[in-house]
Amino acid sequence: MQLGALLTRLSDESDAAVALDALGDVVLLAQIQEMGAQHDETPGEYVANASRRYAARAGDEDWLALMTAIERADDPARVVLGKMLRWALERDAAPVPAMAGGCSCGAGGCDDHR
């Protein structure tokens, strides 16, 4: 399966849930269930959203590491899913930085740039 096709399949929550079950990684499943619960997502929703976030936000180094892992893997789809999920879990577990002035504009607060 090509990477684009895999990402498309993972964007469907039911396909994502099946893929997560197929990994057979109970530790990863528990982490997904816990993080998903924090975000009001089922495991399938979390996996689908995590794959979308990876596709949209992963940096060049993340993609290079993924491509290298794919080249070495006996089961590339398993590697892709595992790396994307661990990437998402790591970012979701990180503390959210406080925003200056309570806004996300980056200008030091909305009143500062009116």
Side-chain angles (χ1 to χ4, degrees):
M1 179 179 290
Q2 294 181 343
L3 183 57
L6 178 61
L7 291 173
T8 300
R9 296 282 306 269
L10 289 175
S11 68
D12 178 86
E13 295 166 17
S14 58
D15 287 344
V18 169
L20 179 60
D21 287 341
L23 280 179
D25 186 333
V26 294
V27 173
L28 185 60
L29 174 60
Q31 292 170 330
I32 298 288
Q33 289 172 328
E34 182 180 333
M35 192 61 72
Q38 290 178 25
H39 295 280
D40 260 350
E41 297 174 323
T42 66
E45 289 171 325
Y46 186 86
V47 172
N49 291 330
S51 68
R52 287 184 201 114
R53 287 194 315 273
Y54 189 94
R57 299 182 189 149
D60 292 341
E61 290 182 19
D62 299 311
W63 282 103
L64 180 59
L66 181 65
M67 294 300 125
T68 302
I70 289 171
E71 287 178 0
R72 297 179 181 159
D74 292 333
D75 187 350
R78 180 180 297 269
V79 168
V80 168
L81 183 56
K83 282 203 165 288
M84 286 182 172
L85 291 175
R86 286 179 180 85
W87 177 91
L89 287 167
E90 182 179 310
R91 274 136 193 89
D92 289 345
V96 177
M99 290 183 261
C103 77
S104 61
C105 68
C110 289
D111 292 332
D112 292 344
H113 59 86
R114 286 186 190 182

